Amino acid sequence: MKRQIKHLNLLVYSIALSFTSLAQADESRPPDKSFADNLSSEYATCAAYYTVMVGALTHSGESELADQYSKNGSVAFDYALEFAKDNRTEEMANSVTTSRFTLYAEGMMKEIGNDASNVSILLNQYAYRCKEALEDPESFAKKILAEI
């Protein structure tokens, strides 16, 4: 666990450095202070997505895949929390991240009508983006920066 947190801290630092480099390379574009907050929101969305999918996968008997999604959800939540700490106290970052996660998960459940058989709606909307966010966080951060 300590190794994962150390890796997460290095990743957050690396992405922050990438953001600084990109902002300096494009002097016509002022640095956006909401960058970390946008990343936090994206990762909270992914944490919610993976968590909702765990319920659906467990319901369908896909316990091995559900375990992987559960791990992905935890990692995404940790990323969301780390990025939320950028402009907040740790207590406030915890509160904001938990609130986002809850709102997003409730919205997703509503979107599928609280019916696990409708998860293809979520797969279509979140699967690729969340997979990219976890597999290539630096590239994902650059994509978010471009969207700002």
Side-chain angles (χ1 to χ4, degrees):
M1 183 65 168
K2 285 184 181 182
R3 187 177 205 181
Q4 283 180 321
I5 291 174
K6 190 174 187 177
H7 173 70
L8 176 62
N9 289 337
L10 287 171
L11 177 64
V12 170
Y13 179 72
S14 170
I15 290 172
L17 283 177
S18 295
F19 170 64
T20 303
S21 298
L22 287 170
Q24 289 172 349
D26 184 1
E27 293 175 10
S28 66
R29 180 182 181 147
D32 191 324
K33 294 182 181 179
S34 65
F35 176 66
D37 208 43
N38 287 353
L39 282 172
S40 175
S41 181
E42 289 285 342
Y43 279 104
T45 299
C46 290
Y49 161 72
Y50 284 120
T51 300
V52 170
M53 290 301 296
V54 166
L57 291 166
T58 301
H59 179 73
S60 68
E62 297 284 339
S63 60
E64 192 173 311
L65 190 54
D67 288 344
Q68 182 58 50
Y69 271 54
S70 180
K71 290 175 187 171
N72 289 353
S74 293
V75 170
F77 188 89
D78 289 344
Y79 283 6
L81 182 58
E82 284 301 312
F83 285 115
K85 290 177 185 177
D86 188 57
N87 297 314
R88 298 177 179 87
T89 64
E90 187 164 345
E91 183 179 336
M92 185 57 71
N94 280 316
S95 181
V96 166
T97 304
T98 301
S99 294
R100 284 177 174 161
F101 169 81
T102 302
L103 284 168
Y104 299 152
E106 288 173 353
M108 289 176 194
M109 290 301 294
K110 187 175 182 180
E111 200 172 345
I112 63 170
N114 292 313
D115 186 344
S117 67
N118 296 329
V119 295
S120 58
I121 295 167
L122 301 180
L123 285 166
N124 185 49
Q125 192 168 353
Y126 303 103
Y128 177 75
R129 190 168 179 95
C130 291
K131 182 179 182 195
E132 179 185 16
L134 294 184
E135 289 182 356
D136 192 358
E138 190 171 337
S139 174
F140 183 72
K142 289 177 184 177
K143 184 180 286 187
I144 298 303
L145 179 60
E147 292 174 3
I148 295 176

